């Protein structure tokens, strides 16, 4: 049965023959039936009772005309404030700014999230930052942990080759910059905050997540009394300014006032405005110039001077901020790989360096979850306990017992390759099929994957918007916590939580990712 989608243009619902969003997620969940319908009580005071049963979040019972009004206001606000992406139906929208603009996919109203777990996620941010830095310095751990993956996954193999080359030439990264995002879901049964993954390269949406928070605060300032919601319960989100601050401080530590920051981008990028927001803050607040280059352009225009300075198109580069280079698609030829090696060999600050990039792989995540491994990098027992508390079950495919269990109960597992971005994971009965195929072939390809405990998160009512239309559904959300880390030799200059990203999707979806077309941008409503 098709979903009912409401178009703002004609103000009339129509029956869609397909699901409003392609099946999407980051991990996990089965759809749940709607709870008993509750009467709206906008005059009641803000309740901090479990939100799934709260009339304050009974979005399915909202008056249709009210939703239309809010949706219209949201679309106007998004257009005026740049909450925009390129429209994939318009040619050149991913390469020419201002061509084919459409509002970013978004949740019309914020999603409830318990304040206790919100604070836990924020407290974990600086601990994960320090963990990434320490693991990045342990070359033996990185190479040995990824050795089997290297044989099965060509992309990871190429990254490891670059890492090995930097070790051979004794390349030291004295200034180390991390713009990270740790993603979590809230387990419905235990109410535990569980980590999905840690992103160390191209952690996107610092700019647009900022705007969604502002949008939701604006909506509640106008309609909050009717909804029974308080805009002050949406936590502040200053991600774009904090990302810009970290980049600016790294630029300052490099100590070349004439140098620029280079953002490495994909040739087609419909999420370019999220990136341009960071550049705008760097220019307006810090008077720092940024340039945008693809990997191929870096290869054609780049050179390293004898002192290690990287020049691209005649400009000295102080900081390299990767918003590409995390997927095999970004390396269609040897030219792109040559560019990556060139940048790594330079003295420019890399965000991330090749070692930081490798720390963010799924295999390293799985290795760190093994008993006793965190103690190799962290001395503080309280910090270790906090990290372990958020870890899910993570296993290598060379564990025959867990593989057998996954074949018997595939619905309890997610099979994950060493890839970033949405659309890569394997779910449900496909897990069983994939594992049986690997067993039959008897190859080393199983080293390209890990198994992860499937999270079954809480779900709530939501109103999801895409392409000027809105749709009510049950939804699940994923909280991403941005963090910034800057170190120069032994001096830690910056290490803190730096804003957040909430992504929401229909609860029946498996894959996740806004850019991949599965999720919408959202914000947190603390309960």
């Amino acid at each position: 049965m098709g979903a009912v989608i409401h178009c703002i243009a004609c103000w009339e619902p129509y029956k869609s023959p397909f699901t409003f969003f392609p099946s999407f997620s980051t991990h996990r969940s089965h759809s749940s039936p709607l709870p008993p319908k509750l009467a709206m009580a906008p005059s009641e005071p803000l309740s901090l009772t479990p939100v799934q049963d709260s009339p304050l979040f009974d979005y399915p019972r909202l008056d249709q005309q009210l939703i239309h009004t809010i949706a219209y206001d949201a679309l106007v606000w998004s257009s005026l404030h740049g909450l925009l992406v390129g429209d994939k139906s318009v040619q050149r929208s991913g390469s020419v700014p201002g061509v084919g603009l459409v509002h970013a996919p978004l949740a019309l109203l914020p999603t409830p999230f318990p304040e206790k777990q919100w604070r836990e996620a924020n407290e974990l941010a600086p601990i994960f930052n320090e963990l990434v830095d320490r693991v990045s310095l342990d070359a033996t751990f990185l190479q040995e942990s990824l050795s089997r993956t290297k044989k099965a996954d060509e992309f990871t193999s190429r990254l490891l080759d670059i890492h090995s080359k930097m070790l051979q030439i004794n390349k030291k990264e004295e200034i180390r910059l991390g713009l990270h995002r740790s993603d979590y879901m809230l387990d419905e049964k235990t109410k535990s905050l569980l980590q999905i993954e840690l992103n160390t390269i191209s952690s996107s949406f610092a700019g647009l997540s900022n705007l969604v928070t502002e949008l939701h605060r604006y909506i509640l300032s106008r309609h909050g009394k009717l909804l029974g919601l308080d805009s002050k319960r949406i936590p502040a989100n200053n991600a774009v300014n904090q990302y810009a601050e970290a980049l600016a401080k790294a630029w300052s530590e490099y100590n070349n006032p004439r140098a620029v920051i280079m953002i490495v981008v994909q040739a087609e990028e419909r999420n370019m405005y999220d990136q341009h927001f960071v550049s705008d803050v760097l220019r307006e607040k810090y008077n720092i110039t940024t340039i945008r280059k693809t990997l191929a352009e870096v290869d054609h225009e780049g050179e390293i001077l004898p002192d290690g300075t990287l020049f691209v198109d005649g400009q000295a580069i102080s900081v390299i901020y990767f918003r590409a280079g995390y997927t095999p698609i970004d390396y269609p030829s040897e030219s792109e790989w040559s560019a990556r090696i060139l940048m790594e060999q330079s003295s420019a600050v890399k965000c991330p360096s090749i070692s930081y990039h490798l720390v963010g792989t799924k295999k390293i995540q799985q290795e760190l979850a093994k008993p006793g491994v965190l103690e190799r990098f962290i001395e503080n027992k309280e910090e270790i306990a906090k990290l372990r508390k958020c870890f899910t079950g993570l296993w290598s495919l060379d564990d025959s017992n867990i593989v057998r269990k996954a074949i018997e109960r595939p619905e309890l597992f997610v099979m994950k390759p060493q890839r970033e971005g949405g659309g890569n994971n394997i779910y449900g009965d496909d897990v069983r099929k994939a594992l049986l195929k690997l067993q039959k072939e008897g190859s080393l390809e199983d080293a390209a994957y890990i198994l992860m405990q499937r999270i079954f998160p809480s779900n709530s009512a939501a109103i999801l918007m895409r392409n000027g239309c809105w749709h009510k559904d049950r939804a699940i959300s994923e909280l991403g916590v941005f963090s910034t880390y800057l170190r120069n030799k032994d001096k830690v200059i910056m290490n803190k939580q730096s804003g957040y990203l909430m992504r929401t999707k229909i609860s029946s979806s498996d894959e996740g990712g806004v850019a991949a077309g599965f999720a919408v941008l959202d914000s947190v409503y603390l309960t």
Side-chain angles (χ1 to χ4, degrees):
M1 186 176 180
V4 178
I5 304 172
H6 299 259
C7 180
I8 296 300
C10 61
W11 298 85
E12 292 292 336
Y14 64 91
K15 268 290 187 182
S16 170
F18 45 84
T19 305
F20 184 56
F21 300 110
S23 189
F24 103 112
S25 152
T26 318
H27 311 302
R28 15 300 153 184
S29 162
H30 301 296
S31 57
S32 300
L34 291 173
K37 295 194 173 182
L38 302 164
M40 279 295 292
S43 60
E44 292 181 5
L46 180 67
S47 170
L48 299 188
T49 54
V51 296
Q52 193 155 323
D53 299 318
S54 171
L56 296 179
F57 296 93
D58 190 25
Y59 297 156
R61 291 295 300 271
L62 288 182
D63 178 74
Q64 298 281 88
Q65 184 62 43
L66 175 60
I67 297 177
H68 274 304
T69 300
I70 296 173
Y72 186 88
D73 288 347
L75 293 177
V76 172
W77 193 99
S78 298
S79 301
L80 293 177
H81 293 82
L83 184 49
L84 304 166
V85 293
D87 185 347
K88 65 175 63 177
S89 68
V90 178
Q91 193 174 11
R92 301 190 302 150
S93 66
S95 56
V96 182
V99 173
L101 301 178
V102 64
H103 73 91
L106 55 91
L108 187 58
L109 296 166
T111 293
F113 199 88
E115 188 167 2
K116 179 185 175 183
Q117 284 79 1
W118 160 257
R119 294 188 184 279
E120 283 180 16
N122 289 334
E123 291 171 0
L124 283 166
I127 305 174
F128 271 116
N129 279 344
E130 193 64 47
L131 178 63
V132 169
D133 188 65
R134 294 183 186 183
V135 174
S136 76
L137 298 176
D138 194 331
T140 301
F141 176 79
L142 288 174
Q143 288 285 336
E144 289 181 352
S145 297
L146 290 163
S147 59
R148 287 190 73 244
T149 306
K150 178 182 175 73
K151 298 176 183 178
D153 187 293
E154 183 180 358
F155 179 62
T156 304
S157 177
R158 295 297 296 264
L159 295 177
L160 281 168
D161 286 344
I162 296 173
H163 183 251
S164 296
K165 186 170 185 177
M166 297 307 107
L167 294 175
Q168 291 168 9
I169 64 175
N170 198 29
K171 181 71 175 64
K172 302 292 185 182
E173 298 294 333
E174 294 183 339
I175 304 174
R176 302 192 292 277
L177 171 64
L179 300 183
H180 304 145
R181 195 189 71 230
S182 185
D183 295 334
Y184 305 92
M185 276 189 164
L186 193 63
D187 182 64
E188 168 64 24
K189 185 175 182 180
T190 64
K191 305 303 178 186
S192 299
L193 185 78
L194 298 178
Q195 187 188 51
I196 296 158
E197 62 186 358
L198 178 63
N199 300 277
T200 59
I201 182 170
S202 188
S203 302
S204 60
F205 292 117
L208 296 191
S209 68
N210 236 69
L211 289 175
V212 172
T213 301
E214 292 181 24
L215 168 64
H216 284 165
R217 285 183 159 188
Y218 166 76
I219 288 174
L220 294 195
S221 71
R222 294 200 63 183
H223 306 285
K225 288 184 178 180
L226 286 173
L227 298 169
L229 300 175
D230 181 359
S231 63
K232 294 178 182 178
R233 299 300 292 174
I234 300 176
N237 190 357
N238 203 22
V240 68
N241 288 303
Q242 297 202 55
Y243 261 30
E245 179 189 9
L247 288 162
K249 285 187 175 182
W251 176 87
S252 180
E253 290 295 317
Y254 187 79
N255 198 26
N256 181 351
R258 297 182 179 180
V260 302
I261 294 176
M262 179 171 69
I263 306 176
V264 180
V265 300
Q266 295 173 328
E268 291 284 326
E269 179 56 88
R270 292 183 174 84
N271 192 31
M272 69 172 78
Y273 307 104
D274 177 62
Q275 302 165 4
H276 280 298
F277 274 114
V278 178
S279 295
D280 187 63
V281 176
L282 286 167
R283 180 179 60 254
E284 295 294 325
K285 188 172 182 179
Y286 301 99
N287 197 30
I288 297 174
T289 299
T290 61
I291 62 173
R292 295 169 63 84
K293 296 291 180 180
T294 64
L295 287 166
E297 288 171 336
V298 172
D299 181 44
H300 297 147
E301 303 171 8
E303 61 175 334
I304 298 179
L305 301 188
D307 67 355
T309 303
L310 174 65
F311 269 77
V312 176
D313 195 21
Q315 299 182 86
I317 307 300
S318 58
V319 180
I320 303 166
Y321 175 31
F322 283 94
R323 290 299 294 263
Y326 56 87
T327 170
I329 299 172
D330 291 338
Y331 300 87
S333 71
E334 286 301 312
S335 176
E336 288 77 14
W337 286 111
S338 296
R340 185 68 187 267
I341 294 172
L342 182 76
M343 290 184 285
E344 289 296 330
Q345 290 175 323
S346 77
S347 63
V349 180
K350 297 94 182 170
C351 183
S353 65
I354 188 64
S355 57
Y356 268 39
H357 186 171
L358 291 172
V359 175
T361 58
K362 306 297 186 295
K363 181 61 181 176
I364 295 300
Q365 180 187 7
Q366 179 250 310
E367 288 291 321
L368 290 172
K370 287 182 176 180
V373 175
L374 283 178
E375 285 79 358
R376 179 169 177 167
F377 305 103
I378 297 177
E379 299 81 28
N380 188 301
K381 292 183 179 180
E382 289 185 7
E383 291 183 347
I384 291 172
K386 288 180 180 179
L387 292 174
R388 286 223 168 94
K389 183 180 178 183
C390 79
F391 285 170
T392 61
L394 293 156
W395 304 276
S396 167
L397 266 65
D398 60 6
D399 185 333
S400 58
N401 288 330
I402 206 68
V403 169
R404 175 178 52 78
K405 291 178 181 178
I407 291 173
E408 294 172 354
R409 297 290 304 278
E411 71 278 6
L412 300 180
F413 297 85
V414 180
M415 194 169 166
K416 304 178 75 170
Q418 310 298 320
R419 295 289 179 270
E420 298 301 325
N424 298 306
N425 299 329
I426 300 172
Y427 299 90
D429 197 52
D430 289 338
V431 171
R432 182 183 62 82
K433 293 176 181 177
L435 291 173
L436 289 173
K437 181 181 178 183
L438 289 173
Q439 284 187 342
K440 184 177 180 181
E441 293 173 350
S443 68
L444 292 174
E445 191 181 345
D446 62 349
Y449 298 89
I450 67 165
L451 277 170
M452 180 175 176
Q453 166 195 345
R454 185 161 183 167
I455 302 170
F456 295 90
S458 307
N459 72 72
S460 58
I463 303 170
L464 314 176
M465 289 198 69
R466 190 184 290 274
N467 295 323
C469 299
W470 60 267
H471 163 66
K472 297 178 185 177
D473 215 319
R474 300 301 295 181
I476 56 176
S477 297
E478 180 175 326
L479 174 66
V481 176
F482 294 112
S483 60
T484 49
Y485 185 87
L486 179 63
R487 188 184 192 111
N488 192 344
K489 298 180 182 177
D490 294 332
K491 181 182 179 183
V492 176
I493 299 162
M494 196 174 191
N495 181 17
K496 61 180 181 178
Q497 183 268 359
S498 300
Y500 70 94
L501 165 69
M502 194 74 158
R503 287 169 296 177
T504 294
K505 64 173 189 175
I506 56 174
S507 59
S508 58
S509 171
D510 279 332
E511 268 301 341
V514 176
F518 302 116
V520 301
L521 298 173
D522 201 349
S523 69
V524 167
Y525 190 97
L526 295 179
T527 62

